[in-house]
Amino acid sequence: MFINLHNNKKLQLILGLLFGFCFGFLLQKGRVCDYEVIMGQLLLKDFTVLKVMMTAMVTGMIGVYAMHGKGWIKLHKKPGSLGTNIPGPLIFGIGFGLLGYCPGTSVGAVAHGALDALIGGIIGIMIGAALYAAVYPKLKGRILDVGDLGDKTLIDVFPARNPWVVIIPVITIVVLFLLVLEKMGL
Amino acid sequence: MNTMIDILCDPSWSPYVVGIGIGMLSWLTFLFSDHPLGISTAFAKTAGMIEKAVRGPKVAKKLYYKENKPGIDWEWMLVIGVFIGALVAALTSGTFQLKWVPSMWEATFGANIFARLTVAVIGGICVGFGARWGCGCTSGHGISGTMQLVLGSWLSAICFFIGGVGIAMLMYHVF
């Protein structure tokens, strides 16, 4: 649906700005751009970050798969591999703990005046990205291709014709997990 | 009307309200823009644009930038939007405050700005490097990828937290 809208480059830039505005507004109001809240999550004392992420995941999943079922949208599944999705994210995680912000929340933190997020987050992340561009040819065709996962989803793992056979149990588990967190006062 | 303003000025919304909001926002980005929410690619593209401005057009010949052309696109505008939206939220919340060292850091490691910035920059470099290696960050994999049930994204999200929890525990409980 909306192919003409998707192809309207100028309008898409405006839509990107508008969607970003909503995303940033929500992240800030959810306090997930605060160093204390993010580190509280990584120290397993305050589960605000996971609550936001899991609720977003479950809400998004329902709408995205419902619209996909109707043929309204295309999915955007990034192909992966063990060599891509384990070492990179572990390095990211270490950086996440040291910095105390992820890329999106760095931007949000700068917007509430956190200057460590400006120097470490915005500038540091760009240096890291440029360094990666420099070593990329050495990784491509080697470690990045180890253990190919393709764009497989959980639905492909449990050979279910109907995605809801997987989605409903996933939602149930997430909701139960969140209920347990609330019960424990985390 | 007053309650609307109260909600708008409330600095701390329920994480569930925020999560549902971000989830619904994803519906709109898929439907109207044919894009999932994601942040870190824009950082790589900006780095590429700066590198090109400083070191000249030969930068564009780098394999990574050939495959990921630096330039202003939907995702780049999304990040600008995140900044403006977060700024408006901070101003309406009354939480805007220029600060070099977060209070939690100061309580454990002291108020030395240089120490905080050194660790933050090393952390940021790892975040940028790791996000590009893993092809995504806490938004692209952690929210957009996991909602599509992509195995690589779930694996990435788990590894983000393994690395993050490990280093946070070391920093605050061991040192």
Side-chain angles (χ1 to χ4, degrees):
Chain A
M1 282 231 293
F2 302 115
I3 305 280
N4 286 335
L5 179 62
H6 297 165
N7 290 334
N8 186 334
K9 289 233 165 69
K10 271 191 189 145
L11 196 55
Q12 281 303 329
L13 293 182
I14 297 169
L15 277 180
L17 189 72
L18 194 74
F19 291 141
F21 182 95
C22 300
F23 193 25
F25 190 88
L26 286 166
L27 289 173
Q28 192 79 283
K29 287 293 187 188
R31 296 184 310 122
V32 288
C33 302
D34 292 12
Y35 179 85
E36 283 73 18
V37 173
I38 293 173
M39 292 312 284
Q41 177 63 69
L42 296 180
L43 293 168
L44 308 178
K45 287 178 181 160
D46 170 348
F47 279 74
T48 305
V49 174
L50 268 187
K51 287 177 193 172
V52 169
M53 288 179 72
M54 288 185 151
T55 314
M57 171 182 95
V58 163
T59 308
M61 196 182 290
I62 297 169
V64 163
Y65 272 99
M67 291 191 292
H68 184 249
K70 293 216 175 282
W72 292 3
I73 60 157
K74 276 190 300 192
L75 294 179
H76 290 274
K77 300 178 288 186
K78 287 181 185 173
S81 68
L82 299 180
T84 301
N85 299 110
I86 296 175
L90 283 175
I91 296 170
F92 178 99
I94 291 167
F96 188 27
L98 290 172
L99 174 61
Y101 311 101
C102 63
T105 53
S106 292
V107 176
V110 175
H112 69 230
L115 296 166
D116 56 334
L118 177 66
I119 308 294
I122 310 299
I123 298 175
I125 293 170
M126 285 199 286
I127 297 173
L131 285 177
Y132 184 75
V135 302
Y136 176 65
K138 291 200 174 67
L139 301 175
K140 199 190 172 186
R142 295 184 187 149
I143 185 166
L144 294 182
D145 295 351
V146 174
D148 183 42
L149 295 170
D151 64 354
K152 278 204 188 70
T153 66
L154 271 180
I155 300 166
D156 305 315
V157 175
F158 303 97
R161 284 281 164 79
N162 186 339
W164 298 97
V165 174
V166 173
I167 294 170
I168 292 168
V170 168
I171 294 174
T172 313
I173 292 166
V174 169
V175 171
L176 285 176
F177 177 73
L178 294 174
L179 283 172
V180 170
L181 280 183
E182 290 300 331
K183 202 91 209 162
M184 289 169 71
L186 285 167
Chain B
M1 192 60 207
N2 269 336
T3 43
M4 276 284 283
I5 293 171
D6 286 345
I7 293 170
L8 212 62
C9 296
D10 183 351
S12 174
W13 287 10
S14 151
Y16 303 116
V17 171
V18 169
I20 290 170
I22 294 172
M24 289 170 67
L25 184 64
S26 295
W27 305 351
L28 302 180
T29 65
F30 270 95
L31 188 60
F32 295 122
S33 292
D34 193 27
H35 261 292
L37 289 172
I39 299 286
S40 53
T41 316
F43 278 86
K45 293 197 165 170
T46 312
M49 286 191 274
I50 295 173
E51 220 184 320
K52 218 165 128 183
V54 175
R55 299 180 52 211
K58 64 175 185 211
V59 170
K61 291 209 181 81
K62 280 192 180 176
L63 183 63
Y64 188 83
Y65 294 129
K66 270 190 191 165
E67 294 178 14
N68 304 272
K69 280 211 167 54
I72 291 171
D73 56 6
W74 185 89
E75 253 201 349
W76 203 86
M77 294 303 284
L78 186 84
V79 176
I80 302 295
V82 167
F83 177 76
I84 302 171
L87 181 65
V88 171
L91 294 175
T92 54
S93 303
T95 51
F96 186 91
Q97 190 192 3
L98 285 177
K99 218 172 181 180
W100 284 102
V101 181
S103 344
M104 181 182 172
W105 172 283
E106 193 178 328
T108 307
F109 305 107
N112 187 325
I113 294 174
F114 184 73
R116 168 59 189 147
L117 289 188
T118 307
V119 172
V121 169
I122 295 169
I125 291 173
C126 294
V127 166
F129 192 88
R132 288 304 84 215
W133 185 325
C135 301
C137 63
T138 15
S139 304
H141 280 312
I143 296 177
S144 302
T146 58
M147 78 170 60
Q148 297 178 80
L149 297 161
V150 179
L151 290 182
S153 295
W154 279 66
L155 190 57
S156 298
I158 292 166
C159 291
F160 294 155
F161 281 96
I162 291 174
V165 168
I167 206 78
M169 294 287 183
L170 268 178
M171 281 168 67
Y172 280 91
H173 294 319
V174 179
F175 295 117

